[in-house]
């Protein structure tokens, strides 16, 4: 996927290096620039059959990834930081997510609320997200708003105002978000408990939003330390996709970010999760109309050879009304109103999440008793070639549809650059799906669908819910 721009042909010792076609542009951009602002062209990386990502690196370590797509006069600009909840420590969980909120606040030259207002007036829209391995900031903008957007993004990367009033205000916002999305939400609370029980050592065991006592306990000094450590150009990838003039965009990046100093990024101290040798079970009572079950099997890391086959197996088991589990539990046995599965896409090994919601008076034990034979079947015998072909077609269609917009392309570039170090890894994934065999699916079923290494959360109705339509709504959603 990645092309080296200066190389010698094998067996030709006297071959001349291939000239870098962007060397003249880089030389011109670097003229009279200070060391931190000087660019180097790192690589040209194939992004599918017809497009290329040009990766540059500033002297301060900022990676700049540009994909020129002139199909519409719009640009997607994303900034991906190599920090998520996995980089936190016990007692300070949730600070990465808190910073997602703080970053929309006041800076030294931009008043509180002006960041969003200025971009909206320029026709742009912004958003952000934080998860286990990363945090990113997203802006869709008309092409003539690029310089403004870069200036504002660089401003908040280096000159965010962090004082007690700003920090206290956002802590309360996040605390309320936690109440709504976890404490008062059945699915959110169960998912949090599943990961807490499944991970006893690894940082994936604590929630991205953080524990409530940690959220309330953050000090302004905690926030300043976190900001100065992780919000630095050498911990960020700036992704530009769309109707971009390369020379103009790079010059604007140098102008906006070229004076920023790099940071000393700590060596990551994440403890590997020890092997799980026996099933873990927990039971909670929640205000829900029916019984539910959440199951976490161990899953490989995103970059592992087994990840793609396990995703295909999940597609066969859980994707859509024709999937094996939906047909059996929802349509034939009529004991479930909703079934779903998802293979975690993380840097480290994580969980294969399975969620079942019972219909009527059926129990979680009934759901498990009906599910286990279906999982045992894919461990005993290979799936059919027809099932595998359909799964491959659906996944490929989904991946390619996600690339129809500049925002979709930018998100894939930023995600894979941050998690795997390869902005075009999506196409390696696509190739992995295409070459997977029924034997690969049989192997991963036997390796990962192991009952002694799973975690099971039973959700028992507390009798307070009168939502008689929950089952019908869940079935429609599935």
């Amino acid at each position: 996927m990645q092309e080296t721009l200066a190389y010698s042909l094998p067996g030709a010792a006297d071959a001349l290096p291939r000239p870098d076609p962007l060397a003249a542009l880089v030389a011109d951009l670097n003229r009279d620039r200070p060391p931190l602002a000087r660019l180097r062209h790192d690589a040209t990386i194939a992004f599918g059959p017809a497009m290329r990502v040009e990766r540059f690196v500033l002297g301060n370590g900022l990676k700049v990834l540009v994909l020129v797509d002139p199909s519409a006069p719009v640009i997607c600009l994303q900034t991906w930081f190599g920090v998520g909840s996995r980089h936190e420590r016990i007692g300070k969980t949730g600070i990465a997510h808190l910073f997602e909120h703080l970053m929309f606040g006041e800076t030294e030259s931009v008043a509180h609320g002006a960041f969003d207002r200025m971009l909206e007036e320029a026709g742009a829209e912004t958003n952000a997200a934080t998860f286990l391995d990363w945090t990113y900031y997203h802006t869709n903008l008309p092409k003539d708003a690029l310089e403004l957007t870069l200036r504002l993004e660089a401003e908040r990367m280096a000159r965010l105002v962090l004082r007690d009033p700003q920090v206290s205000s956002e802590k309360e916002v996040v605390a309320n978000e936690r109440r709504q999305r976890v404490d008062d939400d059945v699915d959110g609370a169960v998912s949090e408990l599943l990961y807490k029980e499944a991970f006893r050592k690894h940082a994936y065991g604590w929630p991205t939003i953080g524990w409530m006592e940690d959220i309330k306990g953050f000090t302004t000094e905690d926030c300043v330390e976190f900001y100065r450590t992780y919000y630095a150009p050498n911990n960020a990838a700036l992704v530009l996709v769309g109707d971009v003039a390369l020379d103009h965009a790079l010059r604007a990046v140098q102008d906006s970010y070229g004076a920023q100093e790099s940071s000393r990024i700590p060596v990551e101290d994440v403890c590997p999760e020890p092997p799980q040798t026996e099933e873990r079970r927990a039971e909670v009572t929640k205000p829900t109309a029916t019984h539910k079950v959440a199951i976490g099997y161990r899953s490989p890391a995103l970059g592992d050879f087994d990840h793609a086959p396990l995703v295909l197996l999940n597609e066969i088991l859980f994707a859509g009304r024709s999937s094996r589990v939906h047909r059996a539990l929802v349509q034939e046995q009529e004991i479930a109103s909703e079934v779903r599965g998802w293979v975690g896409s993380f840097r480290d090994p994580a969980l294969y999440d399975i969620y079942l919601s019972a219909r009527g008076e059926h129990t979680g034990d009934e759901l498990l008793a009906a599910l286990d034979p279906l999982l045992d079947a894919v461990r005993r015998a290979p799936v059919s070639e027809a099932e595998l072909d359909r799964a491959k077609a659906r996944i490929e269609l989904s991946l390619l549809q996600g690339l129809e917009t500049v925002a979709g392309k930018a998100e894939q570039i930023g995600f894979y650059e941050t998690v795997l170090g390869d902005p075009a890894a999506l196409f390696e994934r696509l190739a992995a799906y295409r070459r997977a065999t029924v034997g690969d699916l049989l192997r991963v079923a036997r390796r990962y669908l192991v009952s002694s290494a799973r975690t099971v959360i039973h959700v028992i109705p507390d009798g307070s819910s009168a939502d008689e339509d929950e089952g019908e709504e869940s079935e429609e959603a599935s």
Side-chain angles (χ1 to χ4, degrees):
M1 295 300 294
Q2 186 163 317
E3 300 172 358
T4 303
L5 293 177
Y7 65 98
S8 296
L9 293 171
D14 59 345
L16 294 175
R18 175 184 291 183
D20 184 344
L22 297 174
L25 171 62
V26 170
D28 182 59
L29 290 168
N30 286 339
R31 190 171 293 114
D32 300 325
R33 293 281 186 178
L36 291 178
R38 292 177 64 85
L39 281 165
R40 65 177 173 86
H41 182 222
D42 184 62
T44 295
I45 303 160
F47 191 77
M51 291 186 163
R52 297 289 182 271
V53 174
E54 302 293 351
R55 180 162 58 200
F56 301 85
V57 183
L58 261 63
N60 58 17
L62 178 69
K63 289 182 287 186
V64 184
L65 298 104
V66 184
L67 187 151
V68 177
D69 178 3
S71 57
V74 294
I75 296 171
C76 181
L77 186 153
Q78 296 184 356
T79 307
W80 288 74
F81 290 93
V83 61
S85 56
R86 66 174 290 151
H87 301 91
E88 299 162 350
R89 62 182 188 272
I90 295 173
K92 301 296 180 183
T93 65
I95 195 167
H97 173 256
L98 174 64
F99 249 86
E100 180 196 320
H101 289 252
L102 288 168
M103 283 286 281
F104 287 89
E106 179 184 356
T107 68
E108 292 176 11
S109 63
V110 179
H112 181 75
F115 178 91
D116 282 336
R117 186 181 68 251
M118 293 168 70
L119 288 175
E120 288 171 1
E121 290 173 352
E125 57 181 15
T126 65
N127 211 330
T130 308
F131 208 19
L132 282 67
D133 298 320
W134 44 259
T135 301
Y136 86 101
Y137 299 87
H138 167 102
T139 305
N140 287 327
L141 57 137
K143 60 183 297 185
D144 58 4
L146 178 59
E147 291 186 20
L148 169 66
T149 307
L150 286 170
R151 179 173 63 81
L152 291 172
E153 288 289 351
E155 170 78 13
R156 67 175 176 173
M157 184 189 286
R159 291 177 286 276
L160 189 68
V161 172
L162 293 170
R163 302 191 186 101
D164 290 347
Q166 291 88 349
V167 172
S168 296
S169 175
E170 291 305 325
K171 281 168 56 178
E172 187 56 36
V173 171
V174 172
N176 285 331
E177 182 181 346
R178 180 183 165 83
R179 294 183 188 102
Q180 294 172 6
R181 296 171 58 178
V182 180
D183 299 343
D184 297 334
D185 181 82
V186 174
D187 287 356
V190 171
S191 177
E192 181 177 276
L193 179 59
L194 177 67
Y195 275 74
K196 179 177 179 290
E197 292 297 320
F199 291 97
R200 302 290 173 82
K201 293 290 186 181
H202 195 285
Y204 287 167
W206 55 68
T208 299
I209 201 169
W211 303 117
M212 183 64 87
E213 58 268 29
D214 292 350
I215 296 169
K216 292 181 176 180
F218 288 133
T219 66
T220 301
E221 290 73 23
D222 292 331
C223 296
V224 170
E225 179 187 2
F226 183 88
Y227 180 60
R228 289 177 176 171
T229 301
Y230 292 106
Y231 276 72
N234 57 319
N235 196 43
L238 188 68
V239 181
L240 282 165
V241 177
D243 193 4
V244 177
L246 190 59
D247 57 345
H248 171 75
L250 292 175
R251 187 170 286 108
V253 170
Q254 288 178 299
D255 292 342
S256 298
Y257 293 88
Q260 295 187 14
E261 299 279 350
S262 59
S263 172
R264 183 184 293 275
I265 307 300
V267 175
E268 189 175 357
D269 185 20
V270 173
C271 297
E273 185 66 24
Q276 183 175 335
T277 58
E278 59 182 20
E279 184 181 83
R280 298 171 186 167
R281 290 204 177 204
E283 184 177 296
V284 291
T285 302
K286 292 290 180 181
T288 175
T290 63
H291 290 251
K292 303 178 190 297
V293 180
I295 309 160
Y297 287 94
R298 297 295 164 181
S299 72
L302 177 64
D304 193 286
F305 184 81
D306 284 343
H307 194 274
L310 188 58
V311 171
L312 287 165
L313 182 62
N314 175 70
E315 188 80 12
I316 291 168
L317 288 170
F318 287 97
R321 296 176 179 272
S322 63
S323 64
R324 289 191 179 192
V325 177
H326 192 281
R327 285 202 318 269
L329 272 62
V330 177
Q331 300 171 32
E332 296 169 4
Q333 300 179 42
E334 297 185 345
I335 63 172
S337 60
E338 181 182 5
V339 298
R340 62 177 185 260
W342 178 69
V343 181
S345 298
F346 305 127
R347 180 177 296 168
D348 288 350
L351 292 185
Y352 175 14
D353 297 6
I354 294 173
Y355 178 90
L356 310 172
S357 183
R359 175 177 297 193
E361 300 298 319
H362 293 286
T363 67
D365 287 334
E366 290 179 80
L367 293 175
L368 272 179
L371 174 69
D372 282 341
L374 301 175
L375 301 184
D376 186 54
V378 296
R379 287 192 298 264
R380 285 186 289 101
V383 301
S384 70
E385 292 284 356
E387 286 179 303
L388 179 56
D389 289 342
R390 286 194 298 269
K392 289 180 178 181
R394 287 194 299 265
I395 288 178
E396 180 170 344
L397 177 62
S398 176
L399 290 177
L400 296 179
Q401 284 179 333
L403 299 176
E404 291 178 348
T405 65
V406 293
K409 295 183 185 75
E411 185 164 326
Q412 296 303 319
I413 291 169
F415 171 76
Y416 282 107
E417 172 68 24
T418 303
V419 178
L420 297 182
D422 179 1
L426 172 70
F427 294 95
E428 292 290 348
R429 297 279 302 171
L430 187 56
Y433 290 130
R434 288 170 175 167
R435 64 176 173 257
T437 67
V438 293
D440 292 327
L441 272 64
L442 183 62
R443 183 189 71 254
V444 298
R446 290 172 174 172
R447 177 173 295 178
Y448 297 101
L449 298 181
V450 178
S451 296
S452 61
R454 74 181 180 183
T455 302
V456 180
I457 310 297
H458 282 273
V459 184
I460 311 299
D462 66 0
S464 66
S465 175
D467 185 3
E468 298 178 356
D469 296 326
E470 178 180 300
E472 288 77 6
E473 290 174 0
S474 296
E475 180 179 358
E476 190 67 27
S478 68

